Amino acid sequence: RILCANFSTMILYLLSSIFLGQIALCRANGLRNKGSTAEPVKTVVLVESLCPGCEEFIQTILVDAYEKLGPSVMELSVIPFGNARIVDAGKQQVECQHGLGECDGNVYELCAIQNYPSIEAYLPFLECLTHVLKPGYDNSTIPPCAFKGCATKNHMYWPSIAACHETQYFEMLEKASQSTPDHEYVPWVTLDGQHVEASDQFIAQVCDAYAKKGGAYPACPQSASNNEWLAPNKTIKVCTDRKTLTEEAALKEIV
């Protein structure tokens, strides 16, 4: 009976995931057809799970920007690796700026992204975690319930994320390392390969990049290319790059 119950649960999650995926696809197609006149701006955001500035940027700026601009204007991807580094691939040693807890958090986030690669699916999960995870240095693993709660809230099948975390820990971090370009700090934002400051003018920056490609979109003001309008009023506090890691930085060896 337990086996049947678990199987039924898995089927329900699978059907739910397919349904939500179709909704996301329809929404994306609808947004693309709304005033889209150019290719979207390739927007890459480098973060790490326990960086205070990353949490602030996702929570207060990035989610709102994507809700307003959507896939018509932004081809958005988020990479949770940040200032971590692979110390020894042979021994599967990884160092994360904010300790073992951050390595742990990065892997859970990467596993969620791998299982639910649509930005419409995983961005709400990342945003949920900004309200749950305590930012700052943590040299202990984080209780899985923190991630399970956000996964369940966003209709993600938790057992598959947990299994990925258990069996692909180093693999996920290694892949993320390879996808993470050179940077000075996080959150590190690039628009079509060009770095921009993470600030409260992020929407204007994206709209400006889109306008330069010949695009126009209702949520983008006509003055998006105005330099005064682009001037940031508030910048996000950042976590500096791996070169500034202290001796406290955690070294995790996955066995």
Side-chain angles (χ1 to χ4, degrees), residues 31-32 34-41 69 71-74 192 203-225:
L31 287 172
R32 286 191 182 97
K34 186 180 178 182
S36 178
T37 57
E39 289 296 312
V41 178
L69 302 180
S72 291
V73 181
M74 300 172 64
D192 285 333
I203 290 179
Q205 293 167 329
V206 176
C207 287
D208 181 56
Y210 189 58
K212 288 177 179 177
K213 300 172 77 168
Y217 194 73
C220 287
Q222 293 182 354
S223 58
S225 295

Side-chain angles (χ1 to χ4, degrees), residues 127-166:
E127 194 272 338
C128 176
L129 290 175
T130 67
H131 299 278
V132 175
L133 301 181
K134 182 180 179 181
Y137 189 83
D138 187 349
N139 203 27
S140 59
T141 57
I142 300 172
C145 60
F147 304 95
K148 181 179 180 180
C150 285
T152 302
K153 178 181 178 181
N154 289 284
H155 308 285
M156 293 177 165
Y157 185 58
W158 169 249
S160 65
I161 296 175
C164 168
H165 179 273
E166 180 70 23

Side-chain angles (χ1 to χ4, degrees), residues 27-28 31-32 40-41 63-76 119-120 206 217 219:
R27 178 179 179 274
L31 287 172
R32 286 191 182 97
V41 178
V63 170
D64 178 64
Y66 192 75
E67 287 178 350
K68 289 180 178 177
L69 302 180
S72 291
V73 181
M74 300 172 64
E75 182 185 332
L76 177 61
I119 186 67
E120 285 84 6
V206 176
Y217 194 73

Side-chain angles (χ1 to χ4, degrees), residues 146-252:
F147 304 95
K148 181 179 180 180
C150 285
T152 302
K153 178 181 178 181
N154 289 284
H155 308 285
M156 293 177 165
Y157 185 58
W158 169 249
S160 65
I161 296 175
C164 168
H165 179 273
E166 180 70 23
T167 62
Q168 301 180 59
Y169 198 109
F170 178 75
E171 178 185 344
M172 299 306 298
L173 290 171
E174 187 173 44
K175 285 182 179 178
S177 173
Q178 294 167 354
S179 301
T180 299
D182 291 338
H183 59 281
E184 298 176 11
Y185 51 80
V186 291
W188 184 263
V189 183
T190 59
L191 304 178
D192 285 333
Q194 299 298 312
H195 171 246
V196 297
E197 293 292 334
S199 74
D200 57 353
Q201 297 304 310
F202 177 67
I203 290 179
Q205 293 167 329
V206 176
C207 287
D208 181 56
Y210 189 58
K212 288 177 179 177
K213 300 172 77 168
Y217 194 73
C220 287
Q222 293 182 354
S223 58
S225 295
N226 187 309
N227 289 332
E228 292 184 2
W229 198 81
L230 286 169
N233 296 313
K234 176 186 176 183
T235 55
I236 301 297
K237 293 181 180 179
V238 300
C239 297
T240 52
D241 70 4
R242 66 196 67 179
K243 294 178 182 179
T244 64
L245 293 179
T246 68
E247 293 181 358
E248 277 191 315
L251 180 66
K252 172 150 189 171

Side-chain angles (χ1 to χ4, degrees), residues 8-134:
S8 299
T9 300
M10 181 175 69
I11 292 298
L12 286 173
Y13 268 104
L14 178 61
L15 292 174
S16 175
S17 298
I18 294 173
F19 178 69
L20 289 171
Q22 290 298 318
I23 291 177
L25 180 61
C26 291
R27 178 179 179 274
N29 287 336
L31 287 172
R32 286 191 182 97
N33 293 329
K34 186 180 178 182
S36 178
T37 57
E39 289 296 312
V41 178
K42 187 173 182 179
T43 307
V44 179
V45 182
L46 307 183
V47 299
E48 52 194 22
S49 61
L50 297 185
C51 171
C54 295
E55 290 196 351
E56 181 185 2
F57 182 71
I58 292 172
Q59 187 180 125
T60 65
I61 295 175
L62 186 61
V63 170
D64 178 64
Y66 192 75
E67 287 178 350
K68 289 180 178 177
L69 302 180
S72 291
V73 181
M74 300 172 64
E75 182 185 332
L76 177 61
S77 60
V78 183
I79 306 176
F81 186 78
N83 299 326
R85 69 187 184 97
I86 305 299
V87 178
D88 189 323
K91 295 181 179 180
Q92 297 192 338
Q93 292 179 335
V94 186
E95 187 178 67
C96 292
Q97 183 174 21
H98 296 96
L100 302 185
E102 185 161 81
C103 283
D104 218 31
N106 287 348
V107 174
Y108 277 117
E109 292 179 355
L110 289 165
C111 285
I113 292 171
Q114 175 177 264
N115 289 342
Y116 297 88
S118 165
I119 186 67
E120 285 84 6
Y122 74 75
L123 186 58
F125 173 74
L126 297 182
E127 194 272 338
C128 176
L129 290 175
T130 67
H131 299 278
V132 175
L133 301 181
K134 182 180 179 181

